Amino acid sequence: MNKASLSLLSDVPRGSRIVVAMSGGVDSSVAAALMVEAGYDVAGITLQLYDHGAAIDRKGACCAGQDIRDARAVADKLGIPHYVLDYETRFRQSVMEEFADAYARGETPVPCIRCNQTVKFRDLLTTAKDLGAAALVTGHYVRRAIGSEGPELHAAADSTKDQSYFLFATTAEQLSYLRFPLGDLTKSETRDLAARHGLVVAAKPDSQDICFVPNGSYARIVERLRPDAMEPGEIVDLQGRALGQHNGIARFTIGQRKGLGLGAETSDSAPLYVVRLDVTKRQVVVGPREALATEAVSLKECNWLFACNENQALRVAVKLRNMAMPMGATLYLQDNGLARVVLDMPQDGISAGQACVVYAVDANGQVSSRVLGGGWISAAERAVVAA
């Protein structure tokens, strides 16, 4: 038995029904193969998340038409039943509409987290239980461990593939039911396993795009769902002086430098960055790079995977972007699912709508693999305040 399957055998008896979320990619396909190899009664479920016509033969995105066909081919190879569930309405309401709303509010959303939080780890998990499954298995690169307080979420052994940032909103109850057999593997090991099992997806490229955003053009999605977010307005400096015009706040993100269209209209030769989006005034506020420096963030909709008390202060490490290294910070817990995080070092370009994921640190300040939880950024406190 390989190392990816061993951790599942301790608390899920062989022969138990297991549902595997099969996206059609190599990771979830290998997760399914490992469960079959381990002796479980496996069923694969693939979610149809958006319009069938738009999904046909798209490359580089998950949940496309070809992905469904690939998932079915893998299930046939493994000899397991495979079901395609139409979650298009749920996905539109929980992910796509929220995505458009966030941009209309001047925020920078992370739709993959919302998808995991709602459609996959809420709705699909309920479906798996309805099918009598003892666990829901996914191909995410994270690890699940049992600690003194129950199940814990840990970053993957391979830091280059770790997906813990995208799973911070997983609740303790959900974590007790989920299993992640790839958490101890590297990507090359996963592909080797796919080849050994004769899976057609062994060499399939990884997903790169947000599945419902064709060619990375998020503005087209926002324009279709929230046309008001594309109304024109002014580009102003920190003092409120008009520098130019824009064709929709939703086309801009905090920290953006290129594509401002100011040209020679600026009197200062120093580069300008988007530092704030004023939805009420329909203004894009620009300033020097130092105006992007964020010293603290306020969090909402927090989810914690440890026994915590309100008004508690903890030394932690946080990630404010998926690809960022965890950095030192102090977490101040509040009531009503709120928190505040003060960063040890200011960070540039942090925006409301992004996620702040919290990791434990040891007594020496070394970052642990354990995910303590996190929240959605509701406000970023700048060192230089935009007017």
Side-chain angles (χ1 to χ4, degrees):
M1 189 65 59
N2 71 75
K3 64 182 180 180
S5 299
L6 287 174
S7 62
L8 297 183
L9 300 179
S10 61
D11 58 353
V12 181
R14 291 192 189 190
S16 300
R17 166 61 59 91
I18 297 290
V19 165
V20 180
M22 299 181 67
S23 68
V26 63
D27 298 328
S28 60
S29 297
V30 168
L34 293 175
M35 296 304 94
V36 172
E37 183 181 53
Y40 294 111
D41 175 17
V42 180
I45 292 182
T46 301
L47 303 181
Q48 173 66 52
L49 298 182
Y50 54 99
D51 180 72
H52 293 258
I56 296 299
D57 294 327
R58 279 199 47 210
K59 304 294 184 182
C62 70
C63 312
Q66 182 59 49
D67 293 320
I68 294 175
R69 295 193 286 271
D70 287 342
R72 181 173 292 115
V74 169
D76 289 344
K77 173 68 175 179
L78 297 176
I80 63 174
H82 176 250
Y83 307 96
V84 179
L85 303 183
D86 184 356
Y87 274 25
E88 183 179 343
T89 299
R90 304 182 196 201
F91 183 73
R92 181 186 176 97
Q93 293 174 346
S94 299
V95 181
M96 294 180 65
E97 297 281 354
E98 169 59 26
F99 177 85
D101 284 340
Y103 272 112
R105 293 192 298 265
E107 300 177 353
T108 304
V110 190
C112 293
I113 297 179
R114 284 294 186 193
C115 186
N116 289 325
Q117 182 182 18
T118 57
V119 175
K120 292 180 180 176
F121 287 178
R122 183 190 66 197
D123 299 339
L124 178 56
L125 189 145
T126 299
T127 299
K129 288 184 175 180
D130 289 343
L131 291 173
L136 173 63
V137 168
T138 80
H140 289 101
Y141 285 88
V142 292
R143 292 177 292 178
R144 175 184 178 276
I146 301 299
S148 59
E149 300 173 358
E152 298 176 351
L153 183 66
H154 287 254
D158 182 354
S159 61
T160 66
K161 298 302 298 180
D162 173 51
Q163 293 174 297
S164 59
Y165 177 85
F166 296 106
L167 299 183
F168 86 86
T170 305
T171 67
E173 181 180 4
Q174 292 167 344
L175 194 58
S176 67
Y177 189 68
L178 289 160
R179 301 293 186 277
F180 310 105
L182 305 189
D184 289 317
L185 299 180
T186 64
K187 186 70 178 195
S188 62
E189 288 174 323
T190 298
R191 292 197 182 278
D192 288 344
L193 285 169
R196 179 167 69 81
H197 284 277
L199 306 183
V200 296
V201 295
K204 185 175 181 178
D206 290 343
S207 300
Q208 299 296 328
D209 299 331
I210 298 172
C211 64
F212 61 91
V213 180
N215 303 316
S217 181
Y218 72 88
R220 292 170 61 183
I221 300 295
V222 178
E223 186 172 21
R224 177 164 62 87
L225 296 176
R226 298 293 182 272
D228 290 350
M230 296 303 181
E231 293 182 0
E234 290 183 329
I235 300 176
V236 302
D237 64 15
L238 296 180
Q239 287 71 44
R241 295 174 298 200
L243 302 178
Q245 296 289 314
H246 67 76
N247 59 348
I249 277 183
R251 300 182 191 276
F252 298 84
T253 57
I254 302 301
Q256 180 177 334
R257 176 183 173 186
K258 296 181 179 179
L260 299 182
L262 295 177
E265 294 174 289
T266 58
S267 58
D268 192 343
S269 60
L272 293 174
Y273 299 80
V274 176
V275 299
R276 187 163 63 89
L277 298 170
D278 190 325
V279 175
T280 302
K281 297 180 180 179
R282 296 204 305 274
Q283 289 182 337
V284 175
V285 182
V286 298
R289 181 166 184 169
E290 55 265 30
L292 289 171
T294 297
E295 299 178 323
V297 292
S298 298
L299 306 182
K300 63 180 181 179
E301 299 179 52
C302 293
N303 175 61
W304 302 118
L305 296 171
F306 70 104
C308 55
N309 300 313
E310 296 174 1
N311 303 315
Q312 184 179 2
L314 295 173
R315 285 296 300 164
V316 297
V318 300
K319 288 178 69 170
L320 301 176
R321 298 183 183 89
N322 176 46
M323 299 305 294
M325 293 294 294
M327 68 191 77
T330 302
L331 170 67
Y332 295 91
L333 295 168
Q334 301 169 359
D335 57 6
N336 299 319
L338 304 177
R340 184 169 180 266
V341 173
V342 178
L343 306 173
D344 288 357
M345 295 287 292
Q347 299 296 310
D348 286 351
I350 305 305
S351 170
Q354 295 174 315
C356 175
V357 181
V358 180
Y359 298 80
V361 298
D362 63 22
N364 297 318
Q366 296 298 308
V367 181
S368 163
S369 64
R370 184 182 177 187
V371 180
L372 297 179
W376 295 96
I377 297 175
S378 59
E381 300 178 21
R382 311 284 188 203
V384 177
V385 179

